[in-house]
Structure formats: C-alpha cells, structure tokens
Amino acid sequence: MLENLLSNIPLTFPTGGIDIAFYAVAFVILAMAVCTVAVKNVLKSAVFLIFTFVGTAILYMLLQAEFIALAQVMVYVGGVVIFVVFTILLTSHLGEDNFSVNIPRTFAAGALSVAFVMVMVKSLFPAKELATMPSAAPEGYAGLKAIALRLLDYGPSGYIIPFEIVSVLLLATLISAVTVARKEKEEKK
Amino acid sequence: MYVPSVTNPIGDYVREWVPQLVAYLPESLQGETTCSVIAFAINAIICIIAVCLVNIGSAPILIYMERKVCAHVQCRLGPMRLGWHGTIQTIADVLKMLFKEVYSPQGADKKLFYLAPLIVLIAPFMIAALIPFGHNLLVANVDMGIPLIIAVNGFGVLGILLGGWSSNNKYSLMGSLRSGAQMISYEISFALVLLFVVMVSGSTNLMEITNGQAGTVANWMIFKVPVLGFLAFIMFFIASTAEMNRAPFDIAEAEQELTGGYHTEYTGTPFAMFYLAEYIALVTNSALAVTCFLGGFHAPCIGFESVDQILLKVPGVIWFFAKVYFMIWCYMMVRWTFVRPRVDQLMSFEWKFMLPVNMLLLVGGAAYIALSI
C-alpha cells in the first residue's frame, strides 16, 4: 500500500520564486503551530496563534486571494485572537500553574495527528494535476469586485440567498448576545 | 523566476532606468532576472526610506507642536530656552530618551515585553505605505487599501494588550485592558465610516478615492454628499481620536488613576517606540482623513479661473501636508480643550450613539447613491 502511495506522489515539485516562498511560509506556519500547542503559557500560545494566522494570510496572498487574506487578518487577528487574549487577561493566576499533560493523552494526540496526515496524503497526492496546476489564480480573480459581484448576484451562480440568511443569523446572534449581557432591572436593587 | 515589483510611477521610472545600468555588468550576470531583482531592490529601499522619513521625521515636529499648542491653550509659552523658541528642545528630549537604560521590571515576561512595542509600530507604518502623498508619490497602489487599513489596525490593540500584561504591573494591566476594550469598540465605528467613504466613492483604492475628489472644493467628500459627508467627517474624527487613545478619550493612560497606563513600566527606547507609534498614528489618521474627506493632494480650487491657476501651481505634496498639519492641529486643539469622559460614558457613547448613527449614515449614503444615479 505504501509503495502504491509513494508512486503516486509527484516528485517533480516546481521550484519557482512563489514555490520557495510557499515552502518558507509553510515551514514558519508549522513551527508556529507546534509552538502554539507546546508552549506552557497560555498567553504566549495565543501570540504564536497570531503568527500562525498571519502566515496563513500570507499563503492566501501568494495565491492572489487578497480579500480572503485581509479577511483572515481582520477576523482572526483583529477579532478572535484579541478576544482570546482579553479572556486570558481577565482570568487570574495566569501562568502560575502550568497545566500538565499526561502520557495517554499525548499518545492519543500523536495517533490522531498521524492518522490525519495519512488521510491527507492519501486524498491529496493521487490528484495527478497537482504538479502541473497553475500555482496561483489569475490576478483579480478573487478580488473584492469579483467576490462582491458573485456574492450579490441573483443568477444561478450567485449567492444572494445564503448571504441574506447569514445576515439574519448574525442579527439573531447580536440580539441574543445583548439579551445575555443585559442586566435585569431587579438585579440592580 | 517570479520577482515582486513595486507598482508606482517612481517604480516604473527605476525599472526603465535599471537596464541601462545593468549593461555595465559582466555578460554572464546580465538578463531579465537581474534587471528586475535590482530594480526591485532599489525601489524597495526608496520606499522604506520614504516611509521612515515621513513617519520618524514627523514625530519630533509633532512633539514640539503638541507642546506649543498645549502651552498656548493654557496661556503659557511652552519650551523657549533651547534654540529659537525652543526648537531644539525635542531633539534633546529624543536623545535623552534614546540614551536611557533599557530594563524590564522584576517578574516581567521579557520576550513579550520587548515584542509589544514592535507590534504596536506595525499598523502606522503599513498605513503610511498606502497613502498617496502626491500624484506620483505612493509606495503601494493597493486595490484593497481600506480593508487593509481596517485589518492592520487590529495589531495596535494586540501590542497594547501584550505590553500591559507583560509588564507585571497592575496599573499597566488595567490600562491595557481599558484601552483594548476602547479600541475594539471604536474600531467598529472607524470601519463603518470608512465603508461610507468606500460606498460613495465606489472604490477601496486610496488613489482612486483621492482622484474621485478632483476638481473644486465642492467635489471633496466632505461637501460632495450634502450634510452626510460632513457628519461622516465628524464621526471619523471622533472614532479616530478614540482609536489613537488621544485625549479626550485617553482613559487608557488617565494619569490620575493609572499613572501611565499600559506603558508605565517602559523606559528608554521601548517607551520611545510606544510614543512614536502614538504620533505616527496621529499622522496616518490625519492623512487618512485628508485622503478620504478633504480631497487628498488636490488643490482647494474654488471655481474662479484666475485663483485656481495660482493654486494649481503649488505641488500636490505641499497641499497634502498642509491639510495633514491642519488636521493634526485640530486633533491637538481637541486634546487640550475637552475634558475626559468616564469609562462607562465612553463605552455607552460608542455603542449607543456612534454605532447607530454610523449605521444610519450608511443607509443615508445608499439612499444618496440611489437618488443621484
């Protein structure tokens, strides 16, 4: 089975400028992701998580998907991680008691990640066109205008209905968040 | 081989000029790749120097200006002893700050402590690279300028939060939490006002937004959309003041309550970097206001042929910086005239006043576009 897999791997990897950049960024992302999990201080792992997200954004940039890259930075770095950091800062005794991980859990985690890598290899590498595909979309393909026109299109290729449904969902979330956070008048007394 | 290129008019000029230079190199080195690599290197260095010059160069001027404006508002004279009207005072202060010892408090997280000032500086430097200073003076002509600005602004909050926590000081932590909450809240209004600008001008490219305001003063965004434009400008002014943590929204470093806020424990160069970030943010936010509302580098023509002829002879850069410094003066006057609100007043002002008004502004902008077409 393994030989079968290996023979499917395209060994002629392209080595242009973008590919070198991709490998460098991917390596940094992997290192930062490992650091995120391995570092004992929770706040530091949040910082490493930010670097991981920024790295992912750079990958999107390399693929000419600029808006997705910016959305990645806007939502994850500017939103999610800031709130994670906030929550960490509001909890007391940060970094005093490092959580310890016992061995069975590590073993399970290792087994899971190996299985994940196997699945990825098995499903990705048989794709023959992997080595010959263009390394990035044409410029402006995933630009702001293209995405917006597609998103708000009424036609069969448009996404106007999911877009509107998501807006209703967001409104519902906002209202429920306000309801949860609101203090009842009886509580004040 | 793929080589990135700087896409602006000066970059084009360098690209034209480099092949003549490359011709002097030995045969084996010549070629398309060498040309583009050298052109990119030269362009990159020019861009870096330009951004640093605008940012770091304006900081001492702004510090001097702030002290003078503050002094005159309070019926004082301000720095007067060093040089003519105290002009060398800031240089002396900067030198003093740079030669101070750099140390971190006991129990501080050293890596994060020194990383935080660097993170704070990311946003203002990136925004400065996007702003068109003149017809040909633009580092990066990015199609997605406004989303990039909104995205990058998040790094400022992050740096402040990390700096406050890693100082191992309760004042710092409280200050950073306060300013973090404030900046996150006002970022929403900031983004919404910028969206209004994008909606009316129909582009997220800052160069196109500026060129859409060409012509007379009446074409500037602030007057182009009747009433709404002026309202949006006021909203932008308030949101950016809060975004920069400047007074009257400086509860983050309210001296009476929190000593120095998030940078209480910083000394020497790291402190200078926080200070620098604050003043560069002042420049970039003013420049953004000028680009989005006050016609960018376009001369304030009033429609009379004879006057406009004279006004148009002045280069765009000078108009741009004149407008920027006018905006900075406005920010400074606001800082020294208004009183500081409480934390809860500040938050309810954002969530209960600014945000609904900005939403209405967006609706009004849509109505304006629908009616004017």
Side-chain angles (χ1 to χ4, degrees), chain B residues 237-313:
Chain B
F237 194 83
I238 298 172
S240 57
T241 312
E243 177 79 22
M244 285 185 287
N245 277 327
R246 278 180 72 84
F249 301 111
D250 65 338
I251 49 157
E253 43 189 281
E255 295 93 347
Q256 298 89 335
E257 304 154 33
L258 291 170
T259 54
Y262 56 88
H263 51 50
T264 305
E265 294 288 351
Y266 281 90
T267 55
T269 325
F271 176 72
M273 283 165 88
F274 272 120
Y275 212 58
L276 188 68
E278 241 166 67
Y279 278 101
I280 298 173
L282 187 59
V283 178
T284 51
N285 273 312
S286 308
L288 209 56
V290 168
T291 316
C292 290
F293 292 101
L294 299 179
F297 48 76
H298 291 295
C301 299
I302 42 173
F304 294 115
E305 196 67 34
S306 51
V307 183
D308 290 355
Q309 287 290 315
I310 304 164
L311 290 178
L312 284 171
K313 276 189 184 134

Coordinates of all heavy atoms in Angstrom, one line a residue, chain B residues 237-313:
Chain B
F237 N -13.6 61.7 12.8 CA -12.7 62.5 13.7 C -12.9 61.9 15.1 O -11.8 61.6 15.7 CB -13.2 64.0 13.7 CG -12.2 64.9 14.3 CD1 -11.1 65.3 13.6 CD2 -12.3 65.2 15.6 CE1 -10.2 66.1 14.2 CE2 -11.4 66.1 16.2 CZ -10.3 66.5 15.5
I238 N -14.1 61.7 15.5 CA -14.3 61.1 16.9 C -13.7 59.7 17.0 O -12.9 59.4 17.9 CB -15.8 61.1 17.3 CG1 -16.3 62.5 17.3 CG2 -16.0 60.5 18.6 CD1 -17.8 62.6 17.4
A239 N -14.1 58.9 16.0 CA -13.6 57.5 16.1 C -12.1 57.4 16.0 O -11.5 56.6 16.7 CB -14.3 56.7 14.9
S240 N -11.5 58.2 15.2 CA -10.0 58.1 15.1 C -9.4 58.6 16.3 O -8.3 58.1 16.7 CB -9.5 58.8 13.8 OG -9.9 60.1 13.8
T241 N -9.9 59.7 17.0 CA -9.4 60.2 18.2 C -9.4 59.1 19.3 O -8.4 58.8 20.0 CB -10.2 61.4 18.7 OG1 -10.4 62.3 17.7 CG2 -9.4 62.0 19.9
A242 N -10.5 58.3 19.3 CA -10.6 57.2 20.3 C -9.7 56.1 19.9 O -9.1 55.5 20.8 CB -12.0 56.7 20.4
E243 N -9.6 55.8 18.6 CA -8.7 54.8 18.1 C -7.3 55.0 18.5 O -6.5 54.1 18.8 CB -8.9 54.7 16.6 CG -8.1 53.8 15.9 CD -8.7 52.4 15.9 OE1 -9.9 52.3 16.2 OE2 -7.9 51.4 15.7
M244 N -6.9 56.3 18.5 CA -5.5 56.6 18.8 C -5.2 56.8 20.3 O -4.1 57.1 20.7 CB -5.1 58.0 18.1 CG -4.9 57.9 16.7 SD -4.4 59.4 16.0 CE -5.8 60.4 16.1
N245 N -6.3 56.6 21.1 CA -6.1 56.7 22.6 C -5.7 58.2 22.9 O -5.0 58.4 23.9 CB -5.1 55.8 23.1 CG -5.7 54.4 23.4 OD1 -6.9 54.3 23.7 ND2 -5.0 53.4 23.2
R246 N -6.1 59.1 22.2 CA -5.8 60.5 22.5 C -6.9 61.1 23.3 O -8.0 60.7 23.3 CB -5.6 61.3 21.2 CG -4.3 61.2 20.6 CD -4.2 62.0 19.3 NE -4.2 63.4 19.7 CZ -3.1 64.1 19.9 NH1 -1.9 63.5 19.9 NH2 -3.1 65.4 20.2
A247 N -6.5 62.1 24.1 CA -7.5 62.8 24.9 C -8.5 63.5 23.9 O -8.1 63.9 22.8 CB -6.8 63.9 25.7
P248 N -9.8 63.6 24.2 CA -10.4 63.3 25.5 C -10.7 61.8 25.7 O -11.4 61.5 26.7 CB -11.7 64.1 25.4 CG -12.0 64.1 23.9 CD -10.7 64.2 23.3
F249 N -10.3 60.9 24.8 CA -10.5 59.5 25.1 C -9.3 58.8 25.6 O -9.0 57.7 25.1 CB -11.0 58.9 23.7 CG -12.2 59.5 23.2 CD1 -12.2 60.2 22.0 CD2 -13.4 59.4 23.8 CE1 -13.3 60.8 21.5 CE2 -14.6 60.0 23.3 CZ -14.5 60.7 22.1
D250 N -8.5 59.4 26.4 CA -7.3 58.7 26.9 C -7.4 58.1 28.2 O -6.5 58.1 29.0 CB -6.1 59.7 26.8 CG -6.3 60.8 27.9 OD1 -7.5 61.1 28.3 OD2 -5.3 61.4 28.3
I251 N -8.6 57.5 28.5 CA -8.7 56.8 29.8 C -7.7 55.7 30.0 O -7.5 55.3 31.1 CB -10.1 56.2 29.9 CG1 -10.5 55.4 28.7 CG2 -11.2 57.2 30.2 CD1 -11.5 54.4 29.0
A252 N -7.1 55.2 28.8 CA -6.1 54.2 28.9 C -4.9 54.6 29.8 O -4.3 53.8 30.5 CB -5.7 53.7 27.6
E253 N -4.6 55.9 29.7 CA -3.4 56.4 30.4 C -3.8 57.5 31.3 O -3.1 58.4 31.5 CB -2.3 56.7 29.5 CG -2.8 57.5 28.3 CD -1.6 57.7 27.3 OE1 -0.8 58.5 27.5 OE2 -1.6 56.9 26.3
A254 N -5.1 57.5 31.8 CA -5.5 58.5 32.7 C -4.6 58.7 33.9 O -4.5 57.8 34.7 CB -6.9 58.2 33.2
E255 N -3.8 59.8 33.9 CA -2.7 59.9 34.8 C -3.1 59.8 36.3 O -2.5 59.2 37.1 CB -2.0 61.2 34.6 CG -1.3 61.4 33.3 CD -2.2 62.1 32.3 OE1 -3.4 62.2 32.5 OE2 -1.7 62.5 31.2
Q256 N -4.3 60.4 36.6 CA -4.7 60.4 38.0 C -5.0 59.0 38.5 O -4.9 58.8 39.7 CB -5.9 61.3 38.1 CG -5.7 62.8 37.7 CD -6.0 63.0 36.3 OE1 -5.9 62.1 35.5 NE2 -6.3 64.2 35.9
E257 N -5.5 58.1 37.6 CA -6.0 56.9 38.0 C -5.0 55.7 37.8 O -4.8 54.8 38.6 CB -7.3 56.5 37.3 CG -8.4 57.5 37.5 CD -9.4 57.5 36.3 OE1 -9.6 56.4 35.8 OE2 -9.9 58.5 36.0
L258 N -4.2 55.8 36.7 CA -3.5 54.7 36.3 C -2.0 55.0 36.0 O -1.3 54.3 35.3 CB -4.0 54.1 35.0 CG -5.4 53.4 35.1 CD1 -5.9 53.1 33.7 CD2 -5.3 52.1 35.9
T259 N -1.5 56.1 36.7 CA -0.1 56.6 36.4 C 0.1 56.7 34.9 O -0.2 57.7 34.4 CB 1.0 55.7 37.1 OG1 0.8 54.4 36.7 CG2 0.9 55.9 38.6
G260 N 0.6 55.7 34.2 CA 0.9 55.9 32.8 C 0.2 55.0 31.9 O 0.4 54.9 30.7
G261 N -0.8 54.1 32.4 CA -1.4 53.2 31.6 C -0.5 52.1 31.2 O 0.4 51.7 31.9
Y262 N -0.7 51.6 29.9 CA 0.0 50.3 29.5 C 1.5 50.5 29.4 O 2.2 49.5 29.5 CB -0.6 49.8 28.2 CG -0.5 50.8 27.1 CD1 0.6 50.9 26.3 CD2 -1.6 51.7 26.9 CE1 0.6 51.8 25.3 CE2 -1.5 52.6 25.9 CZ -0.4 52.7 25.1 OH -0.4 53.6 24.1
H263 N 2.0 51.7 29.3 CA 3.4 51.9 29.2 C 4.1 52.4 30.5 O 5.1 53.0 30.5 CB 3.9 52.6 28.0 CG 3.2 54.0 27.8 ND1 3.1 54.9 28.8 CD2 2.6 54.5 26.8 CE1 2.5 55.9 28.4 NE2 2.1 55.8 27.1
T264 N 3.4 52.1 31.6 CA 4.0 52.6 32.9 C 5.4 52.1 33.1 O 6.3 52.8 33.5 CB 3.1 52.1 34.1 OG1 1.8 52.5 33.8 CG2 3.6 52.6 35.4
E265 N 5.7 50.8 32.8 CA 7.0 50.2 33.1 C 8.0 50.4 32.1 O 9.1 49.9 32.2 CB 6.8 48.7 33.4 CG 5.9 48.4 34.6 CD 6.6 48.7 35.9 OE1 7.9 49.0 35.9 OE2 6.0 48.7 37.0
Y266 N 7.7 51.0 31.0 CA 8.6 51.1 29.8 C 9.6 52.2 30.0 O 9.2 53.3 30.5 CB 7.9 51.2 28.5 CG 7.4 49.8 28.0 CD1 6.1 49.4 28.4 CD2 8.2 49.0 27.3 CE1 5.6 48.2 27.9 CE2 7.7 47.8 26.8 CZ 6.4 47.4 27.2 OH 5.9 46.2 26.7
T267 N 10.8 52.0 29.7 CA 11.8 53.1 29.7 C 12.6 53.1 28.4 O 12.5 52.2 27.6 CB 12.8 52.9 30.8 OG1 13.4 51.6 30.6 CG2 12.2 53.0 32.2
G268 N 13.3 54.2 28.2 CA 14.2 54.3 27.1 C 13.6 54.0 25.7 O 12.5 54.5 25.4
T269 N 14.3 53.2 24.9 CA 13.9 53.0 23.5 C 12.5 52.4 23.4 O 11.7 52.8 22.6 CB 14.9 52.2 22.8 OG1 16.2 52.5 23.3 CG2 14.9 52.5 21.3
P270 N 12.2 51.3 24.2 CA 10.8 50.8 24.0 C 9.7 51.8 24.3 O 8.7 51.9 23.6 CB 10.8 49.6 25.1 CG 12.2 49.2 25.3 CD 13.0 50.5 25.1
F271 N 9.9 52.6 25.3 CA 9.0 53.7 25.6 C 8.9 54.7 24.4 O 7.8 55.1 24.0 CB 9.3 54.4 26.9 CG 8.4 55.6 27.2 CD1 7.1 55.3 27.6 CD2 8.8 56.9 27.0 CE1 6.2 56.4 27.8 CE2 7.9 57.9 27.2 CZ 6.6 57.7 27.6
A272 N 10.1 55.0 23.9 CA 10.1 55.9 22.8 C 9.3 55.3 21.6 O 8.7 56.0 20.8 CB 11.6 56.2 22.3
M273 N 9.4 54.0 21.5 CA 8.6 53.3 20.4 C 7.1 53.5 20.5 O 6.4 53.7 19.6 CB 9.0 51.9 20.2 CG 10.4 51.8 19.5 SD 11.1 50.2 19.7 CE 10.4 49.3 18.3
F274 N 6.6 53.3 21.8 CA 5.2 53.5 22.0 C 4.8 54.9 21.7 O 3.8 55.2 21.1 CB 4.9 53.2 23.5 CG 4.6 51.8 23.8 CD1 5.3 51.0 24.7 CD2 3.5 51.2 23.2 CE1 5.0 49.7 24.9 CE2 3.2 49.8 23.4 CZ 3.9 49.1 24.3
Y275 N 5.7 55.8 22.2 CA 5.4 57.3 21.9 C 5.4 57.6 20.5 O 4.5 58.3 20.0 CB 6.6 58.0 22.6 CG 6.2 59.3 23.2 CD1 5.2 59.4 24.2 CD2 6.8 60.5 22.8 CE1 4.8 60.6 24.7 CE2 6.5 61.7 23.3 CZ 5.5 61.8 24.3 OH 5.1 63.0 24.8
L276 N 6.4 57.0 19.8 CA 6.5 57.2 18.3 C 5.2 56.6 17.6 O 4.7 57.3 16.8 CB 7.7 56.4 17.8 CG 8.2 56.6 16.4 CD1 8.6 58.1 16.2 CD2 9.3 55.7 16.0
A277 N 4.8 55.5 18.1 CA 3.6 54.8 17.4 C 2.4 55.8 17.6 O 1.6 55.9 16.7 CB 3.3 53.5 18.1
E278 N 2.3 56.4 18.8 CA 1.2 57.3 19.0 C 1.2 58.4 18.0 O 0.2 58.8 17.5 CB 1.2 57.8 20.4 CG 0.0 57.4 21.3 CD 0.3 57.6 22.7 OE1 0.4 58.8 23.1 OE2 0.4 56.6 23.5
Y279 N 2.4 59.0 17.9 CA 2.5 60.2 17.0 C 2.4 59.9 15.5 O 1.8 60.6 14.7 CB 3.7 61.0 17.3 CG 3.5 61.9 18.5 CD1 3.9 61.6 19.8 CD2 2.7 63.0 18.4 CE1 3.6 62.3 20.9 CE2 2.4 63.8 19.5 CZ 2.8 63.5 20.7 OH 2.5 64.2 21.8
I280 N 2.9 58.7 15.1 CA 2.8 58.3 13.7 C 1.3 58.0 13.4 O 0.8 58.3 12.4 CB 3.6 57.0 13.4 CG1 5.1 57.3 13.6 CG2 3.4 56.6 12.0 CD1 5.9 56.1 13.5
A281 N 0.6 57.4 14.4 CA -0.8 57.2 14.2 C -1.5 58.5 14.0 O -2.5 58.6 13.2 CB -1.4 56.4 15.4
L282 N -1.1 59.5 14.7 CA -1.7 60.8 14.5 C -1.5 61.3 13.1 O -2.4 61.8 12.4 CB -1.0 61.8 15.5 CG -1.6 63.2 15.5 CD1 -3.0 63.1 16.0 CD2 -0.8 64.1 16.5
V283 N -0.3 61.1 12.5 CA 0.0 61.5 11.1 C -0.8 60.7 10.2 O -1.5 61.2 9.3 CB 1.5 61.3 10.8 CG1 1.7 61.7 9.3 CG2 2.3 62.2 11.7
T284 N -0.8 59.3 10.4 CA -1.5 58.5 9.4 C -3.0 58.7 9.5 O -3.7 58.7 8.4 CB -1.2 57.0 9.7 OG1 -1.5 56.7 11.0 CG2 0.2 56.7 9.3
N285 N -3.6 58.9 10.7 CA -5.0 59.1 10.8 C -5.4 60.4 10.1 O -6.4 60.5 9.5 CB -5.5 59.1 12.2 CG -5.8 57.6 12.6 OD1 -6.5 56.9 11.9 ND2 -5.3 57.2 13.7
S286 N -4.6 61.5 10.3 CA -4.8 62.8 9.7 C -4.8 62.6 8.2 O -5.6 63.1 7.4 CB -3.8 63.8 10.1 OG -3.8 63.9 11.5
A287 N -3.7 61.9 7.7 CA -3.6 61.7 6.3 C -4.8 60.9 5.7 O -5.2 61.2 4.6 CB -2.3 60.9 6.0
L288 N -5.3 59.9 6.5 CA -6.4 59.2 6.1 C -7.6 60.1 6.0 O -8.4 60.0 5.0 CB -6.7 58.1 7.1 CG -7.4 56.8 6.6 CD1 -6.6 56.2 5.4 CD2 -7.5 55.8 7.7
A289 N -7.8 60.9 7.0 CA -8.9 61.9 6.9 C -8.8 62.8 5.7 O -9.8 63.0 5.0 CB -9.0 62.7 8.2
V290 N -7.6 63.3 5.4 CA -7.4 64.2 4.3 C -7.7 63.4 3.0 O -8.4 63.9 2.1 CB -6.0 64.7 4.3 CG1 -5.6 65.4 3.0 CG2 -5.8 65.7 5.5
T291 N -7.2 62.2 2.9 CA -7.4 61.4 1.7 C -8.9 61.1 1.5 O -9.4 61.2 0.4 CB -6.6 60.1 1.8 OG1 -5.4 60.3 2.3 CG2 -6.5 59.4 0.4
C292 N -9.6 60.7 2.5 CA -11.0 60.3 2.4 C -11.9 61.4 2.3 O -13.0 61.3 1.7 CB -11.3 59.4 3.5 SG -10.5 57.8 3.5
F293 N -11.6 62.5 3.0 CA -12.7 63.6 3.1 C -12.2 64.9 2.5 O -13.1 65.7 2.0 CB -13.1 63.8 4.5 CG -13.8 62.7 5.1 CD1 -13.2 61.8 6.0 CD2 -15.1 62.4 4.8 CE1 -13.8 60.7 6.5 CE2 -15.8 61.4 5.4 CZ -15.2 60.5 6.2
L294 N -10.9 65.3 2.6 CA -10.5 66.6 2.2 C -9.8 66.7 0.9 O -9.0 67.5 0.7 CB -9.7 67.2 3.3 CG -10.4 67.4 4.7 CD1 -9.4 67.9 5.7 CD2 -11.6 68.3 4.6
G295 N -10.1 65.7 0.0 CA -9.5 65.8 -1.3 C -8.1 65.4 -1.5 O -7.5 65.7 -2.6
G296 N -7.4 64.8 -0.5 CA -6.1 64.3 -0.7 C -5.1 65.4 -1.1 O -5.1 66.5 -0.6
F297 N -4.4 65.1 -2.2 CA -3.4 66.1 -2.7 C -3.9 67.1 -3.6 O -3.1 67.9 -4.2 CB -2.2 65.3 -3.3 CG -2.6 64.3 -4.3 CD1 -3.0 64.6 -5.5 CD2 -2.6 62.9 -3.9 CE1 -3.4 63.7 -6.4 CE2 -3.0 62.0 -4.8 CZ -3.4 62.4 -6.1
H298 N -5.2 67.1 -3.8 CA -5.8 68.1 -4.8 C -5.8 69.5 -4.2 O -6.1 69.6 -3.0 CB -7.2 67.7 -5.2 CG -7.1 66.4 -6.1 ND1 -6.5 66.4 -7.3 CD2 -7.6 65.2 -5.9 CE1 -6.6 65.2 -7.8 NE2 -7.2 64.4 -7.0
A299 N -5.5 70.5 -5.0 CA -5.5 71.9 -4.5 C -7.0 72.3 -4.2 O -7.9 71.8 -4.9 CB -4.9 72.8 -5.5
P300 N -7.2 73.1 -3.2 CA -8.5 73.6 -2.9 C -9.0 74.6 -3.9 O -9.2 75.8 -3.5 CB -8.4 74.1 -1.5 CG -7.0 74.6 -1.4 CD -6.2 73.6 -2.2
C301 N -9.3 74.2 -5.1 CA -9.8 75.2 -6.1 C -11.2 75.6 -5.8 O -12.0 74.8 -5.2 CB -9.8 74.5 -7.5 SG -8.2 73.9 -8.0
I302 N -11.5 76.9 -6.1 CA -12.8 77.3 -5.7 C -13.7 77.7 -6.9 O -14.8 78.1 -6.7 CB -12.7 78.6 -4.8 CG1 -11.6 79.5 -5.3 CG2 -12.5 78.2 -3.3 CD1 -11.6 80.8 -4.5
G303 N -13.2 77.4 -8.1 CA -14.1 77.6 -9.3 C -13.8 78.9 -10.0 O -14.2 79.0 -11.2
F304 N -13.0 79.8 -9.5 CA -12.6 81.0 -10.2 C -11.3 80.7 -11.0 O -10.3 80.3 -10.3 CB -12.4 82.2 -9.3 CG -13.7 82.6 -8.6 CD1 -13.8 82.5 -7.2 CD2 -14.7 83.1 -9.3 CE1 -15.0 82.9 -6.6 CE2 -15.9 83.5 -8.7 CZ -16.0 83.4 -7.4
E305 N -11.3 80.9 -12.3 CA -10.2 80.6 -13.1 C -8.9 81.2 -12.6 O -7.9 80.5 -12.6 CB -10.5 81.0 -14.6 CG -9.7 80.4 -15.6 CD -9.9 78.9 -15.8 OE1 -11.1 78.5 -15.6 OE2 -9.0 78.2 -16.0
S306 N -8.9 82.5 -12.3 CA -7.7 83.2 -12.0 C -7.1 82.7 -10.7 O -5.9 82.6 -10.6 CB -8.0 84.7 -11.9 OG -9.1 84.9 -11.1
V307 N -7.9 82.4 -9.7 CA -7.4 82.0 -8.4 C -6.9 80.5 -8.6 O -5.8 80.2 -8.1 CB -8.5 82.0 -7.3 CG1 -7.9 81.6 -6.0 CG2 -9.1 83.4 -7.3
D308 N -7.6 79.7 -9.3 CA -7.3 78.3 -9.4 C -5.9 78.1 -10.1 O -5.2 77.2 -9.8 CB -8.4 77.5 -10.2 CG -9.6 77.4 -9.4 OD1 -9.6 77.8 -8.2 OD2 -10.6 76.9 -9.9
Q309 N -5.7 79.0 -11.1 CA -4.4 79.0 -11.8 C -3.2 79.0 -10.8 O -2.3 78.3 -10.9 CB -4.3 80.1 -12.8 CG -5.2 79.9 -14.0 CD -4.7 78.8 -14.9 OE1 -3.5 78.8 -15.2 NE2 -5.6 78.0 -15.4
I310 N -3.3 79.9 -9.9 CA -2.3 80.1 -8.9 C -2.2 78.9 -8.0 O -1.1 78.4 -7.7 CB -2.4 81.4 -8.1 CG1 -2.5 82.6 -9.0 CG2 -1.3 81.6 -7.1 CD1 -3.1 83.8 -8.4
L311 N -3.4 78.5 -7.5 CA -3.4 77.3 -6.5 C -2.9 76.1 -7.1 O -2.2 75.3 -6.5 CB -4.9 77.1 -6.1 CG -5.5 78.2 -5.2 CD1 -6.9 77.8 -4.9 CD2 -4.7 78.3 -3.9
L312 N -3.1 75.8 -8.4 CA -2.7 74.6 -9.1 C -1.2 74.6 -9.3 O -0.6 73.5 -9.6 CB -3.4 74.4 -10.4 CG -4.9 74.0 -10.3 CD1 -5.6 74.0 -11.6 CD2 -4.9 72.6 -9.7
K313 N -0.5 75.8 -9.2 CA 0.9 75.8 -9.4 C 1.7 75.2 -8.2 O 2.8 74.7 -8.4 CB 1.4 77.2 -9.7 CG 1.2 77.6 -11.1 CD 1.8 78.9 -11.4 CE 1.5 79.3 -12.8 NZ 1.1 80.7 -12.9

